[in-house]
Amino acid sequence: MAFAARMVVDLQLLTCKRFLMPHLMVMKGSVLDVGCGEMPFRSLLPEAARYTGLDVPAANDFGMGRHPEIVDFDGVTIPFPDASQDHILCTEVLEHVENPVALIAEMHRVLRPGGTLVATVPFAARVHHAPHDYHRFTRYRLVQMFPGFEGVAVEERGDDFAVIANKLVVVCMRLAKPTRPWLLPLLLVAGPAAMLSVGLAHLSLRFGWGSKNDPLGYGIFARKV
């Protein structure tokens, strides 16, 4: 319930789920979630899928709680044999990797031929999990980052209406901090504006009103040759 409620205002999360759902719901066999965090999308997988979460030990640096099932790795080398995984999931991770191309090469290595990789990255997003925030990618850069894969498809997540709404929600969260009580009166203006903008963003996502040249982020689907 809390997850569903969060998606009303967290448009990054909402658009990630909408992109991932059709891909994850049909996955069979082993699924490796690289940089899994708190495993928010595990529930989208079929029960028969064999899920493994992989993340760095210092999850607290990213505001994540550690789950005992998660396999540790150093953020560079994936501790699994060549061609051992049927599918790889990697959501909102590559922007936090100093050398994302090297990590993509590792994901390619552990995928079986014909295996799929599904990933998301932000584009219009504030600095987060500092100082481990290194990149924002355009669609043109993304299509170059997956050598050895075929049929690399990059899809925009959200539009300029969603970006504006997302920024206003962030502003309201900052204004509401009790450490800055003198800013609270500004919520009388920013709060209604944010609610209106979120409503417009949901309509725009449904009916395609906005511009795809200013998205919240991107979704990537690729298959190993």
Side-chain angles (χ1 to χ4, degrees):
M1 182 67 71
F3 187 76
R6 177 182 166 187
M7 285 194 294
V8 174
V9 295
D10 190 339
L11 299 173
Q12 286 279 10
L13 180 63
L14 173 67
T15 56
C16 281
K17 182 182 177 182
R18 287 183 176 177
F19 170 77
L20 293 170
M21 184 178 292
H23 299 294
L24 269 57
M25 290 179 67
V26 297
M27 286 185 175
K28 299 178 180 178
S30 56
V31 180
L32 181 63
D33 189 353
V34 178
C36 63
E38 296 179 332
M39 303 179 284
F41 303 110
R42 182 178 184 177
S43 62
L44 300 180
L45 292 165
E47 290 186 8
R50 302 189 304 277
Y51 176 91
T52 302
L54 182 72
D55 214 334
V56 294
N60 289 338
D61 290 350
F62 297 87
M64 305 290 182
R66 286 292 291 176
H67 193 283
E69 292 183 20
I70 295 174
V71 176
D72 289 336
F73 88 125
D74 61 6
V76 178
T77 303
I78 296 176
F80 289 96
D82 294 358
S84 60
Q85 304 296 317
D86 294 304
H87 307 281
I88 287 182
L89 173 63
C90 185
T91 58
E92 310 295 274
V93 170
L94 295 176
E95 72 274 16
H96 300 296
V97 179
E98 292 188 50
N99 188 345
V101 173
L103 181 58
I104 291 168
E106 272 291 281
M107 291 190 282
H108 182 273
R109 177 185 66 80
V110 301
L111 263 180
R112 294 191 177 104
T116 62
L117 183 151
V118 181
T120 66
V121 295
F123 181 68
R126 68 191 187 283
V127 173
H128 56 290
H129 302 319
H132 310 290
D133 191 358
Y134 306 114
H135 313 280
R136 296 295 180 269
F137 309 100
T138 66
R139 67 160 28 253
Y140 308 104
R141 176 59 180 141
L142 287 168
V143 297
Q144 299 172 346
M145 289 170 58
F146 294 85
F149 290 89
E150 63 180 3
V152 178
V154 178
E155 179 181 318
E156 289 83 2
R157 297 188 294 101
D159 56 23
D160 47 0
F161 281 96
V163 169
I164 293 168
N166 191 59
K167 297 298 185 185
L168 284 172
V169 168
V170 171
V171 167
C172 287
M173 292 172 62
R174 184 164 53 84
L175 292 175
K177 287 184 177 179
T179 54
R180 297 179 175 181
W182 59 90
L183 294 177
L184 285 174
L186 294 178
L187 276 175
L188 297 175
V189 176
M195 288 188 290
L196 175 61
S197 187
V198 166
L200 287 172
H202 280 278
L203 290 172
S204 180
L205 292 175
R206 179 171 178 79
F207 296 110
W209 294 344
S211 170
K212 294 294 187 180
N213 289 326
D214 192 7
L216 287 169
Y218 296 95
I220 306 102
F221 176 82
R223 189 180 301 276
K224 181 175 178 178
V225 179

